[in-house]
Amino acid sequence: MINSIKYSFIIPIYNEEETISEMYRRIDGVTDQLDDSLEIILVDDGSQDQSLKMIRDLHQHDQRICYLSFARNFGHQIAVTAGLNFARGKIIIILDADLQDPPELIPNMIEKWRQGYQIVYAKRTRRRQESWLKRLTAYGFYRILTKLSDINIPTDTGDFCLMDRQVVQQLNAMPERNRYIRGLRSWVGFKQTAIYFERDPRFAGEVKYTFRKSLALAIGSIIAFSRVPLRLATYLGLFSAGLALVMVVLVLYWRLFTPAPQLIGYSMITMAIFFLGAVQLICIGILGEYIGRIYEEVKGRPLYTLQETGGFTTDHPD
Ligand code: UDP
Ligand code: MG
């Protein structure tokens, strides 16, 4: 059955009632140009608005539309993961529902696939109408991540991409819960290439990635792809040891070579205690982040819970 579908589109949806119709119209415009069979997988990430109802209606009206609906909000990366688990196509394309990732680029991506690339990701050259804070934090984050991680995660790329079935099978076989798809996509290797685009503003509605969600994604991705923060404890420890040594030399000098021994004083001692306390707390905090992730992995809970599906003949295609 798997081979009868050529293209799978995966679109995560969280409270997107204002964008769904337009998104469908734009996707439909692109799929018209593709003559092979395809499926459009809409993943409802526990929306509280009319999104699920609209998705059901689309499914009724267009047989190519399949959907998954989560029993609560699990987050964008998990929604994409679920889509990947269920996708049956030879070529899998991930894009956002808010039309910031223009579907019209998909034929170019497919062209690259024909040239032999198994992963084609879209790289933003500009973000139109996004706040300077978002642009600045995103700019900084991608560069820090690249510096800290051993693998080469391309900067300024989102989840908008095309992947060959072979790649998706690898991603599906990864048991980890911390699913920073962009990172995993680089980690697997294969022949990868970029296409460039200017990111459009959101078509309608509010941004669903709140500051908290973005921060959690950023911290999670650094922890999943780098052990450098753990080494920070060693560096801070060495730094404080050096500082202590300087103090010893100073105290000895005062004692031996100055007539009246200098008092270091309470303020100095208090400062030293606070400094060391801070260093230790920071290190425990970093350790805690890693241990927390280990705990999450060990529990081995499913990545998501489904309350409804539509259009899939079997529960799991693979
Ligand atoms: N999204 C999701 N679950 C969430 C948050 C977002 O499925 O908890 C979806 C959202 O509907 C959209 C995509 O992820 O299709 C990207 O979200 P958004 O446009 O708000 O973020 P940004 O453009 O800032 O990355
Ligand atoms: Mg968006």
Side-chain angles (χ1 to χ4, degrees), residues 43 61 73 93 100 131 138 150-151 168 178 186 194 256:
V43 186
H61 152 93
N73 179 239
I93 295 146
Q100 285 199 281
S131 73
D150 308 329
I151 53 162
V168 172
N178 193 325
S186 305
L256 298 174

Side-chain angles (χ1 to χ4, degrees), residues 188-209:
V188 291
F190 293 98
K191 244 182 124 198
Q192 310 206 356
T193 189
I195 57 161
Y196 296 85
F197 78 115
E198 295 194 359
R199 196 158 204 230
D200 288 332
R202 190 169 237 288
F203 171 71
E206 291 289 303
V207 173
K208 306 301 176 312
Y209 252 96

